Amino acid sequence: MSSRTREAGRSTAHHAPTAGSLLGASVGATPADANPAGTRSGTGTRPARAPVGVALAADRSRLPLVALFTVGALPAYLAPCIVSRVTGELQLTAAQAGVVGTVLLLASALAGIALAGRVAVIGGARLAQGGLVLLLTGFTAAGTATVGAPALLLVGCLLGGLGAGTAAAVAATGIASSPDPHRTTVLGLLATSAAASTLYLLLPRLGSVHALPFLALALTGALAFPLTLRLPATPSPNPNPTPTPTPTPTPDPTAAPHCSQRLPRRAAGLVLAGSMVLWSLAQNALWGVSGQIGQHRVGLTEQRLGLVFAVALGAGLVGVLASGVLADRAGRVVPVGLGTATIAVCVTVSADARSAAAFAGGEVLWNALYPLVFSYLIGVAAALDPTGRWTVLTGAASALGLAGGPLAGATLVAGLGCPLLAAVLGGTLLLTAVPLALVARTVEAAPAFAGRPVRLPIPTQRVPEPAVAPAP
């Protein structure tokens, strides 16, 4: 879910981790950008450091994308808190509360699908600002909903989800088109994990009013709005530049029209997107009922449960940092395949836990691994298409899985119980590890876009149900 430089000023051609040389040297960078002054590619010479001003400018150019990434991802992180509070204060049943979470996340996913490949055409700034207005309007309305007014709550979550999905689509497209998408993804995951962890510690101390998480989301969107002014104000006249083919006297009648607009490497992309639905669904199904398991099966108090979740999200920061340290050293196959298999073990342990140690250990390690693996999956998607279409579609597929998680988890717990829940979710994750690793291996072995730089008009640069829970 890519490349990351260990130093802000190093050559993107030298550091090309999960997105490989494809994204390091050809995405959103001219040959001069990929090989700064004095650097000789292919000779083993240590890359020259870029001037400090250039490095600082690159970091500043990432801020809008990091902010939009956080705005788009945070509702999923807070979904357990939202569902728990509307169940209590607004007197909704568990099933009704699950519908609230599903509406929010499904709207976000649909926005991402609708905008795939259209961000550059419409314009990043225009889309981001419109999405943030929707988010502010929707979550403010949801926060003002009262007992007996579920329609206002649902409409607010619908609008807020659409806004969050729009912000996420702009961020995903910009990340895919940046010279260093892994670094930007890592920064976005760091910001999201830090914000969610802080809110999980802060919100319980402010009260149990259901409006608080909605207002926190709206405030995050308001803070991100000024940064969208740094995005391009106008759409690109040619958002998907391709070389003009040499005309032939006898065209091939079997050639597909408008092939330049077709998604590249569609087989690998469809396998990746389909696997991401199950990957996210299995994890969010547990995430949606983690609070119930912690309180009713393990016996944790609400405060101790909140502490477990905050520590788990803090561990997510470690996972993000580990992703940056690993970078291209481990390739893509090992972090994606082995990481997903380890997540399957953690999910199984946490879902069937009977002790606080097993529950907390599974949650913490799971949340530490989630952002690490996700960042590499984003890198794989970016490598499939540096214009960002597979990145947006993969993110939307993940959001679809997240949206179905709360209802799936509640249904499985009610019908099967925790032991079988653990077996089903763990087995599903183990099954997805195979195709995900195969796609990562395919991309790693055969980069498709190394060579021609592709530019987009955008600068460089998780979910659940009842109870208070974290987001892997």
Side-chain angles (χ1 to χ4, degrees), residues 230-249:
R230 301 185 183 184
L231 296 173
T234 58
S236 169
N238 185 18
N240 188 27
T242 55
T244 303
T246 302
T248 58

Side-chain angles (χ1 to χ4, degrees), residues 82 86 90 92 100 138 141-143 145 149-158 210 214:
I82 290 173
V86 300
L90 299 185
L92 300 182
V100 171
L152 180 60
L153 177 64
L154 288 175
V155 171
C157 287
L158 175 63
H210 85 281
F214 289 116

Side-chain angles (χ1 to χ4, degrees), residues 152-248:
L152 180 60
L153 177 64
L154 288 175
V155 171
C157 287
L158 175 63
L159 294 177
L162 289 172
T166 301
V170 175
T173 304
I175 288 171
S177 65
S178 66
D180 197 352
H182 189 74
R183 179 181 179 86
T184 310
T185 302
V186 166
L187 292 174
L189 289 169
L190 279 172
T192 307
S193 296
S197 183
T198 300
L199 288 173
Y200 268 107
L201 290 174
L202 182 61
L203 292 178
R205 289 163 173 75
L206 296 178
S208 59
V209 181
H210 85 281
L212 287 176
F214 289 116
L215 294 179
L217 292 172
L219 178 60
T220 305
L223 292 175
F225 195 94
L227 294 175
T228 63
L229 300 176
R230 301 185 183 184
L231 296 173
T234 58
S236 169
N238 185 18
N240 188 27
T242 55
T244 303
T246 302
T248 58

Side-chain angles (χ1 to χ4, degrees), residues 72-103:
L74 199 55
Y77 278 80
L78 294 185
C81 179
I82 290 173
V83 174
S84 176
R85 288 178 181 239
V86 300
T87 302
E89 186 185 359
L90 299 185
Q91 301 176 10
L92 300 182
T93 65
Q96 291 171 332
V99 170
V100 171
T102 295
V103 166

Side-chain angles (χ1 to χ4, degrees), residues 12-466:
T12 56
H14 179 69
H15 296 282
T18 56
S21 59
L22 157 68
L23 289 170
S26 65
V27 176
T30 63
D33 296 327
N35 192 19
T39 304
R40 294 175 296 165
S41 60
T43 63
T45 304
R46 185 180 183 86
R49 292 175 59 93
V52 174
V54 174
L56 291 176
D59 287 337
R60 284 195 298 267
S61 69
R62 294 187 181 100
L63 284 178
L65 299 185
V66 172
L68 291 173
F69 184 103
T70 303
V71 169
L74 199 55
Y77 278 80
L78 294 185
C81 179
I82 290 173
V83 174
S84 176
R85 288 178 181 239
V86 300
T87 302
E89 186 185 359
L90 299 185
Q91 301 176 10
L92 300 182
T93 65
Q96 291 171 332
V99 170
V100 171
T102 295
V103 166
L104 193 163
L105 298 175
L106 184 59
S108 178
L110 293 177
I113 294 173
L115 293 172
R118 295 179 173 86
V119 173
V121 175
I122 301 172
R126 182 185 303 174
L127 267 180
Q129 291 161 8
L132 292 179
V133 169
L134 277 177
L135 183 144
L136 287 166
T137 303
F139 288 144
T140 301
T144 61
T146 58
V147 177
L152 180 60
L153 177 64
L154 288 175
V155 171
C157 287
L158 175 63
L159 294 177
L162 289 172
T166 301
V170 175
T173 304
I175 288 171
S177 65
S178 66
D180 197 352
H182 189 74
R183 179 181 179 86
T184 310
T185 302
V186 166
L187 292 174
L189 289 169
L190 279 172
T192 307
S193 296
S197 183
T198 300
L199 288 173
Y200 268 107
L201 290 174
L202 182 61
L203 292 178
R205 289 163 173 75
L206 296 178
S208 59
V209 181
H210 85 281
L212 287 176
F214 289 116
L215 294 179
L217 292 172
L219 178 60
T220 305
L223 292 175
F225 195 94
L227 294 175
T228 63
L229 300 176
R230 301 185 183 184
L231 296 173
T234 58
S236 169
N238 185 18
N240 188 27
T242 55
T244 303
T246 302
T248 58
T250 55
D252 182 1
T254 64
H258 308 295
C259 60
S260 64
Q261 301 301 321
R262 297 173 63 186
L263 283 168
R265 308 181 73 168
R266 285 176 294 172
L270 289 173
V271 171
L272 176 63
S275 300
M276 283 294 292
V277 174
L278 295 176
W279 190 81
S280 299
L281 177 64
Q283 295 186 68
N284 213 43
L286 175 60
W287 190 224
V289 295
S290 285
Q292 291 179 336
I293 295 174
Q295 288 183 305
H296 305 304
R297 183 177 174 88
V298 178
L300 296 176
T301 64
E302 185 177 356
Q303 287 186 342
R304 289 184 178 181
L305 182 63
L307 180 60
V308 168
F309 289 153
V311 171
L313 289 174
L317 298 174
V318 177
V320 174
L321 294 174
S323 171
V325 171
L326 280 175
D328 58 345
R329 294 177 179 83
R332 301 182 187 93
V333 179
V334 173
V336 169
L338 183 59
T340 298
T342 308
I343 287 176
V345 175
C346 296
V347 165
T348 303
V349 171
S350 182
D352 195 31
R354 290 185 176 274
S355 67
F359 177 77
E363 293 284 331
V364 170
L365 184 56
W366 171 27
N367 277 268
L369 289 171
Y370 174 85
L372 186 152
V373 178
F374 184 76
S375 68
Y376 279 93
L377 289 171
I378 289 292
V380 171
L384 291 173
D385 178 16
T387 65
R389 289 173 293 177
W390 276 123
T391 309
V392 174
L393 288 173
T394 299
S398 176
L400 284 174
L402 292 177
L407 290 178
T411 301
L412 289 172
V413 167
L416 301 179
C418 289
L420 287 179
L421 171 73
V424 169
L425 300 184
T428 301
L429 285 167
L430 283 176
L431 289 176
T432 62
V434 177
L436 289 175
L438 289 176
V439 173
R441 181 180 180 182
T442 300
V443 170
E444 195 172 58
F449 295 94
R452 181 175 179 83
V454 179
R455 287 189 178 275
L456 287 183
I458 300 178
T460 46
Q461 31 186 120
R462 155 192 276 228
V463 344
E465 210 194 24

